Amino acid sequence: MCGIVVYVGRKGDGAPAVVLEGLKRLEYRGYDSWGIAALDSRGRLATLRRVGKIGGASADRVTRLLGSGSVAVGHTRWATHGGISERNAHPQVDCKGRVAIVHNGIIENYQELKAGLVARKHRFASETDTEILAHYIEEGLARGQSFSDATRSIAKRLKGRSAFIAMDSKGGQIAAVRLGAPLIVGIGKKGEMFVSSDVNGFLERTNKVMYIDDGEMALLSFGKKAQKAPEFLNVSRGTKVRKRIIGIDWKRERESKLGYDHFLIKEIMEQKHTIAQAINQDDAKMRQVANRIKNAFGVFIVGAGTAGRVCAAGEYLFSDIAKRHVNSTVASEFSSYRHYLTKKTLMIAVSQSGETVDLLDAIDVAKSKGARILSLVNVFGSTLMRVSDDFLMLNAGAEKAVASTKATTAQLSLLTLLAYATAGRLKEGKRLLLNTAEQVNDMLNPRYEERIKRLARRLRRSRDVFIIGRGVNYPIAEEAAIKLQETSYIHAHGFAGGELKHGPLALISRGSPCIALVANDDTKHETISNAMEVKARGGYVIGVAPENNEVFDYWLKVPDAGVASPIVNIIPVQVLAYHLAVLRGINPDYPRNLAKSVTVK
Ligand code: M6R
C-alpha cells in the first residue's frame, strides 16, 4: 500500500532523484499515484504529483522539475480518502505553501478535525484526510509553537493507525511520526539520513537503521541549523528517547528478478530451497515454543488473506499431528473471540510482511486480555516481530509479487514443524519436511512447467474455476482460489469437497473447470467421489494428485508428501495462476486494486 521515502543529504546530492529511486523500490507494495516535495534552489517548497506508475519517471526529468537539492520527501499512494487524482496524491501542503505532508494509513477522525479547519477558513486543495495535518501544523506555527510541538499537538489528536512525515521548508526540519504504521530511519554516509515505511526504500544505500517505535517521532534537520543525527521524541510527552543504530542483513532483502520475467515466477521457483530454509530453526527454540503451545489454555492461529488460509490449514495439522485443538480465524474477525481470551491464551500470528493492519489490530485485542503472542513472520524488524513476545522467522527472503507463494509454503512448513514439535516428534517432522523440499525441487522442472502452461492455454478463457479439497486441503482449495483470482482475474471459488452437493454443484455445467486437490490420506476416496459428481454434470476435472485417476481429464502429478500435502498441492496452482495471468495479458506481479502489504482496514 502507500509508501514513504525521505532523503536528507548534502548540497547537490540530488535528493529528488534519490527519493525517486527509493519509491521505485516500493512499487511492489501496490499504489495508484505518487509524488515528491523538495526545496528548490531558493529554498522554496516545490512539489510534483502524478497518477499512474512511477517506473517510467526518469531521474533527469524529476531533477529538471524539482532541482538537485539536499532534501526531498516522496510518497506512493493507494487511494483511501478521495479518488485517484493528482490533487489527491501526496505531498499535501498547507495554505502558505510552507509545510509538506506525506502520510500512510487512515485518520479515522479526520472529518471532525477538518470541520474546525473549514470553520477557520483554511483552503483545501484535496479530498484527502492527510491534508488536515498540513493545516494544523500551519496553525501551530502561526500561534508561535515550535515545529516539533505543532506536529506533536496534532499527532496526539489522531485516531487510527498511521505514519506521516511533515517537512517545514522554512524552519529546516522534518518530523517522522509513527502512530501504528511502520517508519524506519536509515543512517547513510557523511551525514546522509533516510526515512522510509519499508527498509527497501533505502536499503540500496544503507543497511544501518534506527527504529521509530509507535508513539514516537524522529526529527531530522537540514539547512543552516542541520544536525548530524536525528533526534527521537515521545509524541505525547515531548521527552527525548535514546536509540541505537542497528545493522541489518541486506543481502537477504536486496533481490531482483534474477533473469526471470516476473517476481512471481521467480518466487515460485525459489520454493526449491525456501521450504528447507523455513524449517532451518533452532531445535531448542522450537521445543521451547512447543512447550508454550502445550501449556497454553486456548491457542489461536491468526492471519489475513492467504496467511489466514494457512492458519486454517494449521488447525488440521495440529489436530492430525499433535492431537491438539487449536482455533484458527482470519485476523479481521478475531475480535469476536475476545471473550474467550485470558492471560493463558497463546496467539500464533502468521504473516509475510508483519505489517497487515487487521493482524496488528487483532494483536492489540489479544494483548489487552494479557494473551501471549508468538509470530511466524518473514520480514525482519517488522511491526509484528517487534510487538510479539516470541517470533520465528520464515526465512523465505524478500517476497515482492503481491500474490504470496514462497512465504505461503514457508508458513505451511513451519506450522507443520511446530505441530511435530508439539507432538514431541521434532526430528521426524524435520525429516519429512526436508524430504518434501527435495520432492519440490524435483517437481519444479521445465517439463512440469510446460505441462501446466498447456493447461493454462486451455483455461485462459474460462469464466469460473472451482477448486475442491477435503481435510487440510480444504483451506488449500480456498487459497488456490485466492491465487487464481488475484493473478488471472478469473472468478475462482474453493470448497470443501463434501459441500459441493449442498449448493455449488448447481454452478457446474458442461466444461466447467474444477481442480481437485487430492492427498494420499483418508480423504482421498471421498475427494475422488466429489470429482466424479462434477464430471457427471459435464465438468472438466483437473486432478492435482500423486496418482492418476480415470476421473481426471487433466492430471498434474504431485509427490506423495504425506501430511505435507498442502505444500506440494498448492505449488502447481501457483504456476497455473502465473501462466494464466501472462496469457491473459495481466502483469502477474501487480494485480489491480491490490497491495502487497495491507496497512489499512
Ligand atoms: O503480509 P501478510 O502475510 O500479513 O499479508 C496477508 C494478506 O494480505 C496476503 O496474504 C494476501 O492475501 C496476498 N495477496 C495473497 O496472495
Side-chain angles (χ1 to χ4, degrees):
M1 289 201 150
C2 303
I4 289 175
V5 179
V6 176
Y7 176 73
V8 177
R10 288 160 305 168
K11 213 170 167 188
D13 269 355
V18 175
V19 163
L20 178 75
E21 169 196 294
L23 291 178
K24 285 184 179 181
R25 297 206 175 273
L26 301 191
E27 269 208 293
Y28 76 99
R29 296 171 65 95
Y31 66 99
D32 38 57
S33 51
W34 60 277
I36 301 177
L39 292 190
D40 68 14
S41 52
R42 281 187 279 170
R44 286 177 319 196
L45 196 58
T47 58
L48 163 72
R49 292 192 293 247
R50 294 286 182 266
V51 168
K53 293 293 167 207
I54 200 169
S58 75
D60 282 354
R61 180 148 175 74
V62 165
T63 306
R64 251 199 323 278
L65 292 168
L66 295 176
S68 59
S70 58
V71 184
V73 169
H75 190 257
T76 48
R77 172 176 188 250
W78 190 85
T80 57
H81 295 57
I84 302 166
S85 63
E86 278 187 16
R87 72 192 195 105
N88 287 335
H90 304 191
Q92 293 291 326
V93 294
D94 66 319
C95 299
K96 302 210 167 68
R98 170 175 172 172
V99 179
I101 306 282
V102 298
H103 163 235
N104 287 359
I106 287 177
I107 302 171
E108 286 173 3
N109 54 336
Y110 95 98
Q111 284 172 323
E112 168 196 326
L113 291 168
K114 185 170 175 174
L117 291 166
V118 171
R120 294 192 292 279
K121 306 273 183 276
H122 282 266
R123 287 187 316 276
F124 279 84
S126 76
E127 300 150 294
T128 62
D129 49 351
T130 304
E131 194 182 341
I132 62 151
L133 298 170
H135 296 288
Y136 269 103
I137 296 173
E138 172 193 347
E139 284 193 342
L141 292 171
R143 274 199 305 273
Q145 276 186 313
S146 68
F147 170 68
S148 135
D149 284 349
T151 306
R152 285 199 308 107
S153 302
I154 180 58
K156 282 192 275 190
R157 298 178 62 188
L158 304 184
K159 296 211 171 106
R161 285 183 185 277
S162 63
F164 71 89
I165 304 290
M167 169 159 85
D168 177 7
S169 56
K170 214 165 142 192
Q173 279 189 308
I174 289 177
V177 183
R178 177 174 177 153
L179 302 168
L183 270 187
I184 309 160
V185 172
I187 303 297
K189 288 175 257 149
K190 299 187 187 148
E192 282 180 319
M193 290 180 279
F194 301 83
V195 185
S196 183
S197 50
D198 175 331
V199 77
N200 286 296
F202 56 70
L203 205 48
E204 281 296 311
R205 291 179 174 256
T206 182
N207 68 334
K208 295 196 172 51
V209 304
M210 297 173 93
Y211 288 109
I212 308 175
D213 284 310
D214 273 342
E216 293 178 356
M217 68 189 228
L219 267 181
L220 286 63
S221 50
F222 56 87
K224 290 194 190 99
K225 294 189 208 141
Q227 300 204 343
K228 283 202 180 106
E231 184 179 46
F232 290 80
L233 299 177
N234 176 293
V235 170
S236 15
R237 294 192 293 273
T239 46
K240 288 195 181 166
V241 183
R242 283 167 68 104
K243 292 279 164 179
R244 282 188 307 137
I245 298 183
I246 297 166
I248 55 170
D249 177 2
W250 60 359
K251 274 191 234 89
R252 271 198 7 213
E253 301 296 329
R254 196 173 60 171
E255 294 192 16
S256 66
K257 289 184 198 148
L258 300 177
Y260 287 95
D261 288 342
H262 299 100
F263 283 114
L264 183 58
I265 189 69
K266 171 195 156 243
E267 289 160 9
I268 291 171
M269 292 302 164
E270 281 174 342
Q271 292 172 111
K272 291 176 181 184
H273 52 85
T274 49
I275 294 165
Q277 280 166 210
I279 57 159
N280 186 10
Q281 305 284 343
D282 177 54
D283 285 358
K285 173 92 191 241
M286 286 299 284
R287 291 198 177 96
Q288 183 198 17
V289 168
N291 275 334
R292 287 205 197 288
I293 295 174
K294 281 195 264 187
N295 295 330
F297 185 72
V299 176
F300 284 85
I301 321 185
V302 188
T306 287
R309 302 338 303 141
V310 168
C311 295
E315 201 171 323
Y316 288 89
L317 291 167
F318 271 85
S319 162
D320 196 17
I321 300 165
K323 317 292 175 239
R324 285 220 151 233
H325 173 231
V326 300
N327 308 276
S328 78
T329 173
V330 289
S332 55
E333 291 296 321
F334 180 74
S335 67
S336 303
Y337 295 85
R338 63 190 177 281
H339 309 294
Y340 312 129
L341 306 176
T342 70
K343 287 196 173 83
K344 290 187 176 169
T345 308
L346 175 69
M347 176 179 182
I348 305 180
V350 180
S351 173
Q352 189 287 126
S353 62
E355 302 295 350
T356 301
V357 81
D358 289 337
L359 186 57
L360 298 177
D361 281 354
I363 286 174
D364 284 351
V365 171
K367 284 194 154 186
S368 72
K369 299 282 183 168
R372 204 178 163 86
I373 317 291
L374 160 69
S375 59
L376 313 189
V377 62
N378 197 37
V379 176
F380 190 84
S382 57
T383 307
L384 175 59
M385 182 192 118
R386 292 157 61 72
V387 299
S388 299
D389 300 296
D390 283 312
F391 64 89
L392 294 169
M393 297 306 299
L394 296 170
N395 300 330
E399 191 181 68
K400 296 274 172 90
V402 166
S404 178
T405 53
K406 61 176 180 167
T408 309
T409 49
Q411 291 162 353
L412 284 167
S413 305
L414 192 45
L415 271 180
T416 308
L417 191 66
L418 258 186
Y420 270 102
T422 309
R425 292 153 57 201
L426 180 60
K427 289 234 148 53
E428 184 189 333
K430 272 209 170 158
R431 267 198 309 276
L432 170 99
L433 288 159
L434 280 175
N435 189 37
T436 307
E438 278 172 28
Q439 290 171 316
V440 167
N441 189 12
D442 294 344
M443 180 172 88
L444 282 173
N445 62 58
R447 257 183 312 125
Y448 194 68
E449 194 184 350
E450 193 44 51
R451 184 161 170 75
I452 298 176
K453 220 169 172 175
R454 230 178 297 145
L455 176 63
R457 281 189 212 111
R458 194 183 183 290
L459 300 187
R460 64 184 290 196
R461 293 208 171 78
S462 302
R463 253 191 36 198
D464 314 286
V465 176
F466 303 94
I467 307 115
I468 54 168
R470 277 179 175 255
V472 69
N473 279 288
Y474 158 38
I476 301 306
E478 293 181 321
E479 161 53 12
I482 295 182
K483 276 303 80 74
L484 293 172
Q485 290 158 4
E486 66 185 338
T487 57
S488 70
Y489 308 161
I490 294 176
H491 167 249
H493 210 134
F495 302 100
E499 283 295 296
L500 262 181
K501 57 186 179 293
H502 296 291
L505 204 53
L507 299 172
I508 303 289
S509 60
R510 192 162 185 74
S512 304
C514 175
I515 302 175
L517 302 179
V518 185
N520 209 0
D521 59 17
D522 53 7
T523 64
K524 174 176 160 183
H525 296 295
E526 285 172 344
T527 311
I528 296 286
S529 300
N530 298 140
M532 299 241 176
E533 290 157 13
V534 171
K535 183 126 180 183
R537 272 116 195 129
Y540 180 78
V541 177
I542 300 138
V544 173
E547 285 158 15
N548 203 351
N549 189 287
E550 60 179 20
V551 71
F552 300 154
D553 293 297
Y554 205 94
W555 178 40
L556 293 176
K557 184 175 187 242
V558 288
D560 185 351
V563 289
S565 70
I567 299 170
V568 297
N569 280 356
I570 192 61
I571 292 176
V573 185
Q574 296 172 345
V575 179
L576 177 66
Y578 170 74
H579 284 293
L580 277 172
V582 173
L583 287 170
R584 287 163 65 89
I586 297 163
N587 184 337
D589 289 339
Y590 307 119
R592 65 184 177 208
N593 304 337
L594 300 180
K596 182 65 185 159
S597 131
V598 183
T599 49
V600 294
K601 279 203 211 179

